[in-house]
Amino acid sequence: MEKDKHLGLRIDSETHKKLKSLSEFEGRSINGEVLYLIRQAILQHEKEHGALK
């Protein structure tokens, strides 16, 4: 089984504040919200351009 990967992310204060508010509104942690948004972007891309490897 492959281990989870770590991704360091630099983010400006204003974006972090808004992401925190969004994640709280959605009932997720900031990490959970970032993963959700990334997965949504991947799904949208695959819908428009076909499956990624």
Side-chain angles (χ1 to χ4, degrees):
M1 178 180 213
E2 190 173 333
K3 292 185 178 181
D4 289 343
K5 302 295 183 189
H6 175 84
L7 175 65
L9 177 66
R10 290 192 181 121
I11 187 170
D12 63 89
S13 295
E14 186 65 22
T15 301
H16 182 271
K17 185 174 89 173
K18 290 180 180 186
L19 180 60
K20 185 173 188 258
S21 293
L22 178 60
S23 66
E24 289 172 353
F25 179 83
E26 295 293 341
R28 299 183 182 101
S29 66
I30 291 176
N31 187 74
E33 187 66 23
V34 169
L35 285 173
Y36 173 79
L37 294 169
I38 290 170
R39 288 175 180 143
Q40 290 301 109
I42 290 170
L43 286 172
Q44 184 64 36
H45 177 86
E46 289 183 327
K47 182 179 176 182
E48 294 174 11
H49 305 285
L52 294 167
K53 293 183 182 180

